[in-house]
Amino acid sequence: MFKIAVLISGGGTNLQYIIDSINRNYLNCSIECVISDRKDAYGLERAKNNDIDTHYIDRKYTEKSVSDRILEIIDGKVDLIVLAGFLSILEGEILRKFKNKIINIHPSLIPSFCGKGMYGIKVHEKAIEYGVKVSGCTVHFVDEGTDTGPIIIQKAVPVYSYDTAEKLQARVLEEEHNILVEAIKYISEGKIEIIGRKVKISSICN
Ligand code: GRF
């Protein structure tokens, strides 16, 4: 069974969609644990409601030791780490031990509106402010940078002149759920090949 750990900081709708996709046998995976860097993240409730082990790691540690504590919990136990709205930046040994085995969902079409400090509603405010006609979401491998790893899947959504950041966020979030599960599915089925910065998915030409 392909085993994953899901890291969260917030409401956990992406986590919920992964749970639902496993329960309807779309994903042949198991979630070994959910780890949050925020004690009040509702995603922890979602995990508990589905009998999934949860861990809370207090962010008052430096980011390096948060990463080291996460590594202690999951090392040798999972095949993939999924960042689903996880706001701390992973650093150090975990990036080496889990090279090309950590993925992140970002609510824009990288390389637009990403990088340090670009998360949550701020991403959509910047997109609206810039006047883009399309935005969207990206699943990418996590490397030493912030939102800089090889791109696995992207999905575009239209941006309308009357959109508020909240309206755009909701439209993008719907697609995040879809592409994050697709990325997990491709990886769990061994359909991903990384060639430099490029990611080839064997079941589709892209
Ligand atoms: C999503 O917008 C995701 O792109 C961003 O954080 C949010 C997480 O939402 N990284 P949820 O906690 O999965 O509902």
Side-chain angles (χ1 to χ4, degrees), residues 1-4 18 21-31 79 181 184-189:
M1 175 72 80
F2 193 80
K3 297 179 177 178
I4 68 176
I18 297 168
S21 300
I22 291 172
N23 291 343
R24 62 188 171 89
N25 298 317
Y26 183 71
L27 281 181
N28 184 21
C29 300
S30 66
I31 302 175
D79 303 296
V181 162
I184 296 168
K185 185 172 178 64
Y186 288 137
I187 294 168
S188 66
E189 293 172 354

Side-chain angles (χ1 to χ4, degrees), residues 50-61:
N50 288 274
D51 301 323
I52 299 169
D53 280 351
T54 59
H55 301 266
Y56 160 63
I57 296 182
D58 190 332
R59 283 179 305 142
K60 77 172 183 305
Y61 295 95

Side-chain angles (χ1 to χ4, degrees), residues 10-15 84-86 104-107 120 169 173 176:
T13 64
N14 277 289
L15 166 66
F86 187 65
N104 180 50
I105 175 81
H106 182 76
Q169 180 175 47
L173 188 58
E176 290 179 39

Side-chain angles (χ1 to χ4, degrees), residues 74-88:
I74 54 122
D75 200 10
K77 300 192 180 96
V78 299
D79 303 296
L80 181 70
I81 301 171
V82 179
L83 309 188
F86 187 65
L87 296 179
S88 294

Side-chain angles (χ1 to χ4, degrees), residues 121-138:
I121 196 71
K122 200 186 300 178
V123 173
H124 307 290
E125 286 167 350
K126 290 293 180 193
I128 298 268
E129 187 186 302
Y130 199 94
V132 296
K133 299 301 181 186
V134 288
S135 189
C137 45
T138 303

